[in-house]
Amino acid sequence: MSAQIIDGRKIAASIKAEVKAEAEAYLKRNGRKIGLAVILVGDDFASGIYVRNKINACNENCIQSFSHRLPASTTEEELIELIHKLNEDNTVDGILVQLPLPSHIRQNVVLSHISAKKDADGFLAENAGNLMLGNPSLNACTPCGIIELIKSTGCKIDGANAVVIGRSNIVGKPTSLLLLENHATVTMCHSHTSNFVNFSRHADILVVAVGKKGLITGEMVKKGAIVIDVGMNREDGKLCGDVDYESVSQVAGYITPVPGGVGPMTIAMLLKNIVKAALALE
Ligand code: NAP
């Protein structure tokens, strides 16, 4: 048996098309584009690329981007002052602070000043708390993308046995909560789990977000399972996931490739979050 590939690029493209149509309708109704403010502090090379990709995605999909590139010497107070201005700015619907920040700036303190209504990344405690309580919230982009990928298979999440390996605040925990919201029975595994294979082998849906190349092999996976590989590991300049694609694709029913699976979904879901924020503020 060879698993069906879940094509993240194709699914992301269709989400972006929906976003663009909504953003164009917003422009017609309001006489201005939906706006995202992107703050980059310092000159970290990778962060510069991520920011450029996000700005390009906005430009291609009828969303106005406001780029704030600040020197590495920027103080915490200056950054917070800018965030307060953007919170008050009616042309800005979403605010994104590119992480990581220089070490003299306390990330949590700075992020806590972003209005929860404009929290494009869905990282704030208020939004994470609302997700946990089942209230409307702006949710973290990668987990939202993961749910879309699972739904694209047409398989039911309701009642499925889901296992999430990894419990970070930006991937593992919110993914588990979103699966729970969709009525899966969810097990979370982490570095203290004694033998996660006892769980992974029974998973109808297996999400792996650890950051260890090839951690999951075919014999750890249930026949016909949906396997979502969130891992992004670089080896000899090549990007690879946490799942050993060759062996797992012989057992799973559906699998995401790396690259081309979860990765492209993150920016698409960021755009979707910005539209959601704008519509709530309209
Ligand atoms: P993270 O904050 O480092 O969390 C890793 C998680 O894996 C932790 O919860 C850790 O457990 C757990 N873990 C570590 N070793 C383990 C083991 N041997 N068995 C079971 N669990 C283990 O990483 P993250 O930010 O969630 O990211 C995870 C991966 O996804 C990375 O490769 C990252 O680059 C990738 N990623 C991709 C995207 C995308 O858009 N495609 C977005 C975000 C992240 P403890 O909590 O016990 O330490």
Side-chain angles (χ1 to χ4, degrees):
M1 176 178 166
S2 192
Q4 284 189 43
I5 296 170
I6 305 176
D7 186 344
R9 289 197 182 100
K10 197 169 150 195
I11 298 163
S14 82
I15 289 171
K16 283 182 184 170
E18 279 169 31
V19 162
K20 190 173 185 183
E22 287 194 74
E24 285 171 348
Y26 182 97
L27 171 61
K28 268 197 193 143
R29 286 197 305 277
N30 294 281
R32 73 157 178 95
K33 285 185 180 175
I34 291 172
L36 172 71
V38 182
I39 304 173
L40 174 62
V41 186
D43 46 19
D44 179 74
F45 181 71
S47 294
I49 294 175
Y50 295 144
V51 162
R52 196 184 60 210
N53 290 344
K54 289 168 191 176
I55 288 175
N56 287 345
C58 285
N59 294 342
E60 287 161 10
N61 293 287
C62 193
I63 293 174
Q64 177 83 52
S65 58
F66 303 100
S67 177
H68 296 267
R69 289 173 185 266
L70 309 177
S73 58
T74 303
T75 64
E76 199 172 283
E77 292 70 30
E78 286 167 336
L79 189 50
I80 290 170
E81 196 183 320
L82 172 61
I83 289 171
H84 285 169
K85 269 194 201 139
L86 296 172
N87 282 342
E88 296 305 315
D89 186 338
N90 290 334
T91 64
V92 171
D93 303 285
I95 302 170
L96 186 155
V97 177
Q98 184 65 42
L99 303 176
L101 290 166
S103 56
H104 66 279
I105 298 178
R106 290 170 297 171
Q107 198 164 290
N108 287 349
V109 171
V110 164
L111 293 185
S112 71
H113 285 267
I114 298 175
S115 159
K117 294 191 170 83
K118 297 190 178 187
D119 175 22
D121 269 329
F123 287 167
L124 293 191
E126 187 173 334
N127 280 311
N130 276 328
L131 171 62
M132 203 202 75
L133 295 174
N135 295 334
S137 53
L138 292 170
N139 300 325
C141 305
T142 302
C144 291
I146 291 168
I147 299 297
E148 292 294 327
L149 292 174
I150 296 168
K151 286 185 174 168
S152 77
T153 64
C155 299
K156 263 174 62 180
I157 300 180
D158 192 328
N161 198 5
V163 172
V164 179
I165 309 185
R167 58 171 169 180
S168 70
N169 289 338
I170 61 165
V171 188
K173 279 185 204 159
T175 300
S176 300
L177 287 170
L178 288 170
L179 285 164
L180 191 61
E181 191 178 271
N182 282 278
H183 310 297
T185 301
V186 184
T187 305
M188 296 175 73
C189 299
H190 44 78
S191 69
H192 294 244
T193 304
S194 63
N195 202 2
F196 65 71
V197 179
N198 290 336
F199 302 98
S200 66
R201 285 181 81 159
H202 300 288
D204 304 309
I205 298 168
L206 179 62
V207 179
V208 191
V210 172
K212 289 197 171 141
K213 179 184 175 259
L215 179 74
I216 303 298
T217 53
E219 69 278 9
M220 302 175 180
V221 173
K222 182 177 171 182
K223 196 164 183 262
I226 300 170
V227 178
I228 307 291
D229 187 356
V230 190
M232 286 197 333
N233 310 295
R234 285 194 191 275
E235 203 179 71
D236 304 329
K238 214 181 135 212
L239 192 63
C240 46
D242 290 347
V243 171
D244 174 47
Y245 187 86
E246 211 172 296
S247 63
V248 173
S249 62
Q250 296 306 309
V251 183
Y254 300 88
I255 189 167
T256 56
V258 178
V262 176
M265 294 299 288
T266 299
I267 286 190
M269 300 314 287
L270 170 70
L271 300 180
K272 205 167 167 169
N273 253 2
I274 301 161
V275 170
K276 189 173 169 186
L279 297 184
L281 291 167
E282 195 176 7

